[in-house]
C-alpha cells in the first residue's frame, strides 16, 4: 500500500500513521490500526482523534470478546 511505503520512506510524518490507523480501522484490521495509532502518538501524544480512535477500537474488541464468551456457553 502506498501509505505504508510512505511511512517507511518518511517515518517522521505522524499524520501518515493517523491515516493508516483510520484506514485499517475501516477495514477492521484492528491490530494494525492500534500499532499505527500508537506510532502517531509518538509525534503528538495529545491528539484527540487518535485517543478516541484507540478507545473505540478497544471497546469494539471488548464487545467482540464478550460476544464470543456468550456463544461459548
Amino acid at each position: 500500500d502506498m501509505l505504508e511505503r510512505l511511512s517507511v520512506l518518511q517515518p517522521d510524518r505522524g499524520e501518515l500513521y493517523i491515516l493508516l490507523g483510520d484506514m485499517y480501522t475501516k477495514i477492521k484490521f484492528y491490530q494494525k490500526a492500534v500499532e499505527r495509532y500508537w506510532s502517531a502518538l509518538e509525534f503528538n501524544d495529545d491528539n484527540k482523534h487518535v485517543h478516541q480512535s484507540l478507545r473505540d477500537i478497544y471497546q469494539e474488541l471488548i464487545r467482540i470478546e464478550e460476544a464470543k464468551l456468550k456463544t461459548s456457553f
Side-chain angles (χ1 to χ4, degrees), residues 30-46:
Y30 296 123
Q31 181 62 41
K32 286 188 175 209
V34 167
E35 291 169 5
R36 297 317 179 269
Y37 285 137
W38 277 105
S39 293
L41 288 176
E42 291 179 20
F43 296 95
N44 182 1
D45 66 354
D46 65 346

Side-chain angles (χ1 to χ4, degrees), residues 43-56:
F43 296 95
N44 182 1
D45 66 354
D46 65 346
N47 185 300
K48 189 174 184 175
H49 171 74
V50 173
H51 285 284
Q52 289 173 338
S53 297
L54 285 167
R55 179 203 62 207
D56 293 345

Side-chain angles (χ1 to χ4, degrees), residues 56-69:
D56 293 345
I57 290 171
Y58 291 138
Q59 287 176 339
E60 178 64 10
L61 291 173
I62 289 168
R63 188 195 65 72
I64 290 168
E65 289 303 314
E66 287 174 342
K68 286 180 187 176
L69 287 173

